[in-house]
Amino acid sequence: VAGGSAKILEDARLTPALARLMWGNAVDPITVLGEDNPAAQPFKARPLLPARLRETTTTGEMLIDVILNSEAPLARIEMRRLAGALDPIYLVTTDDNAGWGSYSGRATSLYAVRDGRLTQLQALGASGKTEPVVLVNTLKSGWKVRDTRAAHTVIEQLYRRADLHGDGFVMTFITYWFDRHSWRVAQRTARGFWEGDESWPATTMFPRARG
């Protein structure tokens, strides 16, 4: 990354085998190992440390060293070619799956190199305010890259929540897109129902990407 390196740091007690068991299943190693498993006992006295994102230069100077999510000991980083082939995007994903319920899961933040260091991408909304691009994947939420043409990327995000003002559920349809210059975001809400094992809604349900 920009002549240096970017790394995910995790608790040294997280072996590859244990990390595979936990990823997408439960944030607590005791849950996946079993309460009475001898391998789980050390985690009762000292829970796992949260994962960190660290970026350093070729000389070892630290540019970024942040805890991604205080509840997530697991994280992954992936480079993808979005928003133009010459501008790689780094997808940094944390997993805080509780092992039960339907609102915890994976959250993916998008980063790009700006002025020589990783910077979390911000999307501009219609109100003129910016917000970080964070893509959430749980039983009641999901996201999909809809379009990846050079210099034009469209990502759809869907949330389902209980209607606090009545019966049923409310769906929030969000569109993030790159308009050749910057990232944009728009959203709309409607009553409805969706879960992660169902077919993805038609693109007409999401706000239109403009520009």
Side-chain angles (χ1 to χ4, degrees):
V1 176
S5 65
K7 302 176 181 179
I8 296 295
L9 303 181
E10 295 176 337
D11 194 304
R13 296 172 293 163
L14 257 174
T15 63
L18 179 55
R20 284 193 296 271
L21 282 175
M22 292 172 56
W23 186 260
N25 293 312
V27 71
D28 186 355
I30 301 172
T31 300
V32 297
L33 292 172
E35 183 75 25
D36 299 325
N37 190 325
Q41 305 314 305
F43 301 109
K44 294 181 179 180
R46 190 161 61 94
L48 287 171
L49 295 170
R52 307 179 74 95
L53 173 64
R54 179 175 293 175
E55 181 188 4
T56 57
T57 66
T58 53
T59 60
E61 178 188 358
M62 194 179 301
L63 300 177
I64 297 174
D65 184 33
V66 296
I67 292 176
L68 295 165
N69 178 343
S70 62
E71 303 298 326
L74 294 173
R76 300 288 183 268
I77 185 168
E78 172 193 1
M79 186 182 77
R80 294 182 64 175
R81 295 288 179 177
L82 302 175
L86 298 180
D87 187 18
I89 301 298
Y90 298 86
L91 283 69
V92 179
T93 302
T94 57
D95 185 359
D96 67 354
N97 197 308
W100 51 270
S102 54
Y103 289 102
S104 61
R106 295 186 294 277
T108 299
S109 297
L110 272 56
Y111 287 78
V113 176
R114 298 286 184 265
D115 299 322
R117 67 175 60 194
L118 281 178
T119 303
Q120 189 172 6
L121 292 179
Q122 303 283 324
L124 180 66
S127 66
K129 296 182 179 180
T130 60
E131 61 180 66
V133 180
V134 179
L135 309 173
V136 179
N137 187 6
T138 70
L139 181 62
K140 291 182 171 64
S141 61
W143 59 277
K144 180 177 181 178
V145 178
R146 176 68 74 175
D147 193 346
T148 57
R149 287 174 293 168
H152 184 73
T153 294
V154 178
I155 303 174
E156 296 171 350
Q157 169 79 67
L158 172 61
Y159 292 99
R160 190 196 97 195
R161 296 289 186 267
D163 187 351
L164 300 179
H165 305 289
D167 296 330
F169 299 91
V170 173
M171 311 270 283
T172 302
F173 299 89
I174 302 174
T175 303
Y176 295 101
W177 72 96
F178 185 74
D179 66 358
R180 297 179 181 271
H181 302 288
S182 60
W183 285 86
R184 304 278 180 155
V185 61
Q187 71 175 50
R188 61 177 292 270
T189 59
R191 294 180 63 83
F193 184 91
W194 181 87
E195 289 197 344
D197 57 355
E198 298 180 22
S199 299
W200 192 251
T203 193
T204 53
M205 298 295 293
F206 295 83
R208 181 181 177 185
R210 303 180 182 278

